[in-house]
Amino acid sequence: MDPLISVSDVPLDHADVRIVDVRWYLADLEQGHREYLTSHIAGAIYFDVETDLSARTGPGRHPLPDPETFAATLGRAGIGNRHHVIAYDSSGGAVAARLWWMLRHLGHDRVQVLDGGWDAWIESSRPVTDVVPTFSAETFAYKVRSDDTIDANELAARLGEVAVIDARAGERYRGETEPVDPVAGHIPTAINHPHTTNVDAAGHFLPPAALRERYATDEEVVAYCGSGVTSCSTLIAHVIAGLPEPKLYPGSWSDWSSSGRAVATGPEPGEAP
């Protein structure tokens, strides 16, 4: 299934479709839910990055929930294996891509990200509402992929062997500022491709050829960000480009920076320790 879906192709009132609003903002963790309650795509349910798409404990600020817990979350929301899931946000697809990746991590490939997200929907004058829908509970059976993540120990051992992409803003990569985590800088050897540069000014992903030009490499790729959320934009960008999908480092900088591991600063990737 194509990882993206356009506004005009989103089916409404279809029993096999579930639309999920995942608007989320690091500066105000409640803002996304407030916006959802005010207005959302008709029929959309809401998933919170902090509670639905993350575990309470684990490596990093947004550790992945264990598969059984996340499958139960999906089932309670009315999402089963038969459903085509469409995720949207107001962050250039970077947060919606987290849900896209998590579903595929559990073996569910019928999932897409709304290209252009909430803004594209509003600009197209498509139906919105403040009514919160409810769906009957479903059973979500899963089969976890074993080849799509990497942890800190394996990554540390393979620095210099894999291509590492840091999806954070440039100033955080360079170590000029760090508003959230305990240490500023980046993982040694990582190159910086901020997730915001995967999309155009309107929040639509760049064409496949442009993404291929940016990301094409013969090396295996690992992607990370602050806490494993917006780096999923890097993963979906590779798929859009027709490139092999990178591994996700779920703990990301929030895990690495709290472990006492080597750190690089400045605009250059730095050498492997």
Side-chain angles (χ1 to χ4, degrees):
M1 177 171 281
D2 192 310
L4 300 178
I5 187 169
S6 64
V7 166
S8 60
D9 289 334
V10 174
L12 296 173
D13 299 322
H14 194 294
D16 289 338
V17 173
R18 292 288 184 266
I19 302 173
V20 185
D21 185 320
V22 289
R23 282 178 283 180
W24 173 80
Y25 307 91
L26 183 60
D28 182 347
L29 301 181
E30 301 296 328
Q31 181 179 342
H33 191 223
R34 292 196 303 269
E35 290 180 351
Y36 169 80
L37 293 176
T38 299
S39 183
H40 53 263
I41 294 177
I45 58 178
Y46 183 77
F47 275 0
D48 191 319
V49 167
E50 303 294 322
T51 57
D52 297 312
L53 304 187
S54 303
R56 292 186 178 180
T57 60
R61 283 183 282 108
H62 294 109
L64 294 176
D66 68 76
E68 184 175 356
T69 298
F70 184 48
T73 297
L74 294 167
R76 284 193 301 271
I79 298 174
N81 300 95
R82 65 188 174 92
H83 289 111
H84 170 194
V85 178
I86 299 170
Y88 74 91
D89 60 25
S90 54
S91 306
V95 182
R98 165 85 169 200
L99 178 57
W100 171 86
W101 183 88
M102 288 177 66
L103 282 166
R104 294 172 72 256
H105 180 59
L106 295 192
H108 187 83
D109 292 332
R110 294 191 66 196
V111 55
Q112 294 177 295
V113 167
L114 179 62
D115 195 23
W118 175 247
D119 289 342
W121 190 267
I122 293 299
E123 290 171 4
S124 298
S125 300
R126 298 275 278 171
V128 299
T129 184
D130 62 357
V131 176
V132 175
T134 57
F135 299 103
S136 299
E138 297 273 348
T139 298
F140 189 94
Y142 59 89
K143 183 177 181 180
V144 180
R145 292 171 59 187
S146 60
D147 60 348
D148 57 352
T149 62
I150 190 169
D151 64 17
N153 290 332
E154 182 182 356
L155 179 56
R158 298 186 67 191
L159 289 180
E161 173 189 334
V162 296
V164 184
I165 296 176
D166 185 320
R168 296 173 302 158
E171 60 270 22
R172 291 184 69 188
Y173 169 84
R174 294 187 296 270
E176 296 165 2
T177 184
E178 181 45 65
V180 186
D181 295 311
V183 177
H186 61 266
I187 296 174
T189 76
I191 59 175
N192 187 213
H193 286 304
H195 69 87
T196 53
T197 60
N198 290 329
V199 297
D200 62 21
H204 295 272
F205 277 90
L206 300 179
L211 293 172
R212 274 196 302 274
E213 182 177 358
R214 169 174 298 174
Y215 288 119
T217 178
D218 292 331
E219 297 177 294
E220 183 180 357
V221 178
V222 172
Y224 78 94
C225 57
S227 62
V229 177
T230 57
S231 49
C232 291
S233 172
T234 303
L235 309 183
I236 199 171
H238 277 71
V239 175
I240 294 167
L243 298 171
E245 186 176 339
K247 291 181 184 291
L248 175 67
Y249 172 23
S252 285
W253 185 247
S254 58
D255 177 43
W256 188 275
S257 63
S258 63
S259 67
R261 298 180 186 275
V263 170
T265 56
E268 300 301 323
E271 299 293 328

